[in-house]
Amino acid sequence: MKLKNIIIGGLGLLSLTACNDYLDVEAPSKFQPEDIYNSVKDAGQALNGVYAEIMSSNCFGQAYTYSLILNSDVDFCTSSSENDETDTPKRYDQTAAGKTANNVWNATYSAIESANNFIYYLQNSSMYMPTNDAYSTLTQYMGEAKVIRAMLYYELMCYWGDVPFSMQPTRVTNNFYPPITSRDVVARTIMEDLISIAPSMKQTPQIAEGVERISQEACWAMIARIGLQAAGYSLRHAAGDATTYGFMGKPSATDEQWFLTQAQAYAKKVIEARTHNLQNSYQDVFLNECNFRVVNDDDPIFEIPFAKESSGYIGYRTGPKFESSGGSTNYQWGECGGQQQINNLFRFSYLPGDTRKDATIGWWYYTFDGIPKINTNITVYNNKWSKLFNTTSAFSSITTGNTGINYPYIRYADVLLMFAEADVKLSGAVSNEALDAVQQVRNRAYIGSSVAAPQIFVLDPDEFLETILKERSWEFAGENSRWKDLVRNNLLSRELYFTFLRNIAVAGEMGGQGDAVVNDMVAMHDGIDYFGGTLGETYTQEEIDAAIPGDNAFGKTAGKDKEQIVPATLYYVYMKNPQKNSYFANHELPVLYLFNPEANNQKYKSDYNTAEKFFKYIRQTYPSSPVAAYQPLGDFDDAAATLKYEMKSADFATKYWKDGNDYAENSVLYSMYGFIRADRNNKAIYQFNRNGVAVPFDISVDQSADLPVVRYLMPIPREAITRASGAYQNYYGY
């Protein structure tokens, strides 16, 4: 039986043991270990309860998979507010009074307490003995609980840095306010704990529930993930300094070496186990999850096993928006929020033919009656997961969140790229093993593509690290990875700065006030000439081979100079669903065909200015193109339903530049408010947030050598500080 179907059964038993007074939850249990764990079944039910804890909305159910995905050059959530706020961590703007920080803190520590209780009671039960015939099952349970605990502490360290730390239940320690402990100590302690239990755990093929349970490979991968992050940079503070935002620092050289060594070694263990691979296509990983298919021998190593109508917002927050009317839609999937989105301009970074692009980038949403509408925001939808992609009739017209769609917390692709990163950082050289690991990830991205996967030939270590990070951006967009990758490599401030410049550059061009110097800085940083001329770029044969109508290179020739590629106006038509997953994974709803999503200079010609003429032209001129099979659909906007099939257009410019004004739209200016923004009184003046002071800077002068730190760390919630009677203190200017 799948774990998600039985997981709730453990809640009742676990509640007998969970206690955590510093979180104002239940009082200490009066039950003794021998009263709770009389059988393997009892222990299994209690472990299910530990799993259930991490599925809550304030944990992995929604917080770590949506609410706390911080804005970057990849993942992005717009904000138009010009003011300080208390609870918008995505834009690096929160205070100790913020609701999100408080809820996530409480839920995470509650889950840790549950794991601590389970581990303690099982370890001290009379049946946890090598002489017990079920000992191997119980040690597997022990390992699963320890990995869950490690996952929770890992996330806390990513968001809070140094944190209260205990591996004992409060019932045992009688200390409801564990001391704040250095992240270096926490990371090493939980890694050593996992290293000790890993040999006693089972590999995926030996586990009935497969990747819905934590396996030995998942344990190894978690050791690697913690070690790699711990070896890198993070935001730290000087002793006793609570006023400044701190500095980006690394652990001691000895600790760094140890962390990297473990990361490399345990990632390699997963690779050598050969229980996982990248044989299925990239898109299939996520479509399988949308359809509740658990695949145990491919990319996913551990999927958080959410239960339908009980937990998990994957497929509701992700994917295209589907509006409701009166709480219902006219289709079987119900409302979709679609709020977890991707930076619009990120789409230009993909290499030609990379299937991850179409599997990730979504351009349209739906009204309640299934009419597709173009999205012209500065973000696009994250189309990896959506309820709309489910073909099992699992949902209804009134379904909202709690989709039960699994979340792949650990993937084999991540292990390969972690191995490569740890390997090059340890040796200072590019090994064949590391090259092969990255190439495996890229090769999978081209399964089903008309273009062969570009081969990676990089010998310079710094250039190779850049290649790894770029590969990670394409591979894990929308999976709460990018800002963490940037943090440990001390690149977060730089990438946020250039994200701001990139949006300002596009806004200026759209508003007729482009700054050539800013454009050049962005082009040089990205290696992409958005506006033509700066880099002297020309079309490559690979781009032409990969292009279909609507792509920038469509109809071009190799060596031709590129012009502006960011469209000011999008042209599109309604289209019958082609029933091809590579285009749109829902096969029932009508869709849009965008004529020029990546080519400002591709205007439609007057001789095919209707959808009917356009597709006829494609069939005649490019019969081998996949677009040749597409069929137009009647004009939804025509009240008389005369089926004119008109070519539509949408003004892309207005989302970047406020028409009639001398400044960009607020979503451009304030979506990274806590780090970089415009002066609210004069929006032509741009400011950094340096230690709480808004400092103006000249946007036409490269500031990348003198950037302030990003205060990405969350404050300890005010409630936790109050309960601890001052035992905890906030730093970083909180």
Side-chain angles (χ1 to χ4, degrees), residues 626-663:
V627 180
Y630 297 167
Q631 298 290 327
L633 191 70
D635 186 350
F636 281 114
D637 292 341
D638 189 338
T642 55
L643 304 181
K644 293 180 180 178
Y645 307 106
E646 292 180 351
M647 187 76 73
K648 301 293 183 183
S649 64
D651 191 350
F652 194 59
T654 58
K655 298 300 182 180
Y656 281 89
W657 190 269
K658 199 168 185 65
D659 191 30
N661 291 323
D662 294 329
Y663 47 85

Side-chain angles (χ1 to χ4, degrees), residues 475-494:
E475 183 71 23
F476 303 110
E479 297 184 53
N480 201 2
S481 170
R482 181 59 172 173
W483 71 271
K484 295 173 182 175
D485 296 344
L486 296 175
V487 163
R488 72 171 174 272
N489 289 285
N490 199 20
L491 296 172
L492 183 59
S493 58
R494 188 187 79 172

Side-chain angles (χ1 to χ4, degrees), residues 324-343:
S324 63
S325 176
S328 178
T329 68
N330 288 1
Y331 287 82
Q332 62 177 292
W333 300 279
E335 177 188 275
C336 300
Q339 299 97 332
Q340 201 257 298
Q341 300 186 8
I342 304 293
N343 198 313

Side-chain angles (χ1 to χ4, degrees), residues 276-319:
H276 294 273
N277 57 60
L278 301 179
Q279 296 301 309
N280 292 337
S281 74
Y282 181 77
Q283 189 179 34
D284 279 347
V285 172
F286 309 103
L287 293 186
N288 283 334
E289 288 157 353
C290 291
N291 286 281
F292 307 113
R293 292 190 292 264
V294 179
V295 179
N296 296 318
D297 60 352
D298 199 67
D299 191 10
I301 293 177
F302 171 54
E303 293 184 355
I304 297 178
F306 295 114
K308 188 167 68 72
E309 298 181 357
S310 176
S311 58
Y313 274 68
I314 298 299
Y316 175 81
R317 295 294 185 200
T318 53

Side-chain angles (χ1 to χ4, degrees), residues 581-596:
N581 288 342
S582 59
Y583 190 84
F584 191 60
N586 178 290
H587 291 181
E588 182 175 339
L589 294 165
V591 296
L592 299 181
Y593 178 78
L594 273 70
F595 184 72
N596 67 326

